[in-house]
DNA sequence: GCTTTTGGCTAACTTCATTAGCCAAGGGGG
DNA sequence: CCCCCTTGGCTAATGAAGTTAGCCAAAAGC
């Protein structure tokens, strides 16, 4: 039996890709093993189990999202930066719904958890957007939570097909960016 | 063996309560059966299975949330109505995280699905709040999605312990209400 | 070339959801 | 009061999924 040449990173990457295809809840160890051309128990040589796999996928997704948002913001400030960040975030979540779903409800286990670092990077990218607005120091954390709630809420509702009525979703999202910009400038 | 006197409503109510205790993912048919003093297969005389149970819990939760929000809004308009609605919604989700989690990612199966009616009632309660603002007709749907994203995002992030840094969560939520009010009045 | 670690494997166990099929409890009509 | 029949329990069995134990060959290091 020739070796498959797997390592943790390859398993996690394949798991993330599979989650995007079949949905977070549809991701099973058996399906992932089949995709990798390997029997299920072999996966346990690379990841600790389903919970560990999920945590690693979450760290990957948060890092990718941070890169996407951070990159999109480069060179912009104020409303442009806000719009770029929000669009990049939503684009990422809609393109990778399975990975992103893996991030919901997982907390970092400790200070050296790679998830904590990725999460902090994503937060930092949004914090950079807020520097383009004239906010009191005490308002920055609140504004950050607001932005995160808004983006997370919209993206997950859209990913879950939660907008059932008729108006155009892209148009709503642009409206929402305008709305946030107005609110932040009026702070 | 004496009868337990169950019916679908009792099973759903117990399932919702159990989901709030052990979390949406921790709710199993076996645990629910044990809670009701019955063997697992007996539940299938009252609900179609786990998916059906989840759908019914979701319908219950949306209806309860609609009642909470609708009731809280009574007699208020404008900023007061917005604040009352947002607080009622968040209070409900934080008090019933398991039930509310059951509503994510389920779509009504048909027009006579009770979930559709509950969902519409909740939406209607938020729509009533928006009547206190001077919005163009074309903006109402967008504003509704914005409100829903904001409330849903904040409540689920909080329920998932997603706010890891230090600032006070209640204070952030009040800030968020102010923010939404400013943005809506500036439309 | 030998040894050690590594990464496959099969087999077995556990937990859950679900189905099949049995059987008593309880209600309605003779 | 008794019979019947629907209803709501039950046990037993099946199947999927996660996980563990333990074997064994392939690579890697000396």
């Amino acid at each position: 039996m020739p070796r498959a040449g797997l390592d943790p990173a390859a398993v996690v990457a394949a798991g993330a890709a599979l989650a995007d295809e079949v949905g977070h809840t549809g991701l099973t160890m058996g399906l992932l093993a089949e995709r990798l051309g390997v029997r299920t128990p072999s996966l346990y040589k690379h990841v600790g189990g389903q919970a560990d796999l999920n945590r690693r996928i979450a760290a990957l997704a948060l890092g990718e999202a941070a890169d996407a948002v951070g990159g999109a913001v480069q060179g912009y400030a104020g409303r442009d930066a806000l719009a770029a960040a929000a669009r990049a975030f939503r684009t990422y979540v809609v393109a990778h719904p399975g990975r992103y779903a893996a991030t919901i409800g997982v907390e970092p286990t400790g200070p050296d958890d790679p998830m904590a670092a990725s999460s902090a990077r994503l937060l930092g990218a949004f914090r950079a957007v807020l520097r383009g607005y004239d906010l009191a120091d005490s308002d920055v954390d609140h504004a950050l939570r607001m932005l995160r709630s808004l983006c997370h809420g919209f993206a997950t509702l859209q990913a879950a097909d939660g907008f059932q009525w008729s108006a155009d979703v892209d148009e709503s999202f642009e409206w929402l960016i305008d709305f946030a910009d107005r609110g932040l400038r009026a702070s």
Side-chain angles (χ1 to χ4, degrees), chain A:
Chain A
M1 42 191 105
R3 298 253 173 134
L6 296 181
D7 59 22
V11 171
V12 171
L18 191 51
D20 287 339
E21 286 177 40
V22 302
H24 174 243
T25 61
L27 174 62
T28 69
M29 299 298 274
L31 196 56
L32 177 55
E34 187 183 1
R35 175 67 58 101
L36 289 166
V38 124
R39 300 303 188 125
T40 309
S42 304
L43 298 179
Y44 290 80
K45 297 288 170 142
H46 304 291
V47 296
Q50 207 169 36
D52 178 52
L53 173 65
N54 188 69
R55 175 181 312 283
R56 287 170 190 252
I57 291 175
L60 174 67
L62 287 175
E64 286 175 348
D67 288 343
V69 172
V73 164
Q74 301 272 342
Y76 294 113
R79 206 213 103 101
D80 292 340
L82 175 65
R87 289 188 194 118
F89 183 80
R90 182 172 76 116
T91 300
Y92 182 80
V93 174
V94 170
H96 302 290
R99 287 157 150 80
Y100 186 74
T103 68
I104 301 174
V106 273
E107 330 177 40
T109 51
D112 55 344
D113 191 328
M115 234 193 63
S118 303
S119 180
R121 273 206 302 139
L122 180 56
L123 230 50
F126 276 108
R127 197 180 288 269
V129 169
L130 291 178
R131 277 200 289 273
Y133 292 91
D134 206 26
L135 297 174
D137 280 359
S138 60
D139 286 351
V140 172
D141 278 353
H142 301 320
L144 207 45
R145 284 176 172 171
M146 180 278 294
L147 267 190
R148 187 158 169 224
S149 299
L150 207 51
C151 288
H152 173 81
F154 194 95
T156 54
L157 282 172
Q158 181 187 0
D161 241 5
F163 294 130
Q164 285 139 15
W165 68 103
S166 57
D168 182 72
V169 175
D170 293 337
E171 204 182 310
S172 287
F173 194 69
E174 295 299 321
W175 188 94
L176 181 146
I177 291 171
D178 268 337
F179 172 86
D181 176 62
R182 274 198 309 275
L184 286 172
R185 270 190 285 115
S187 289

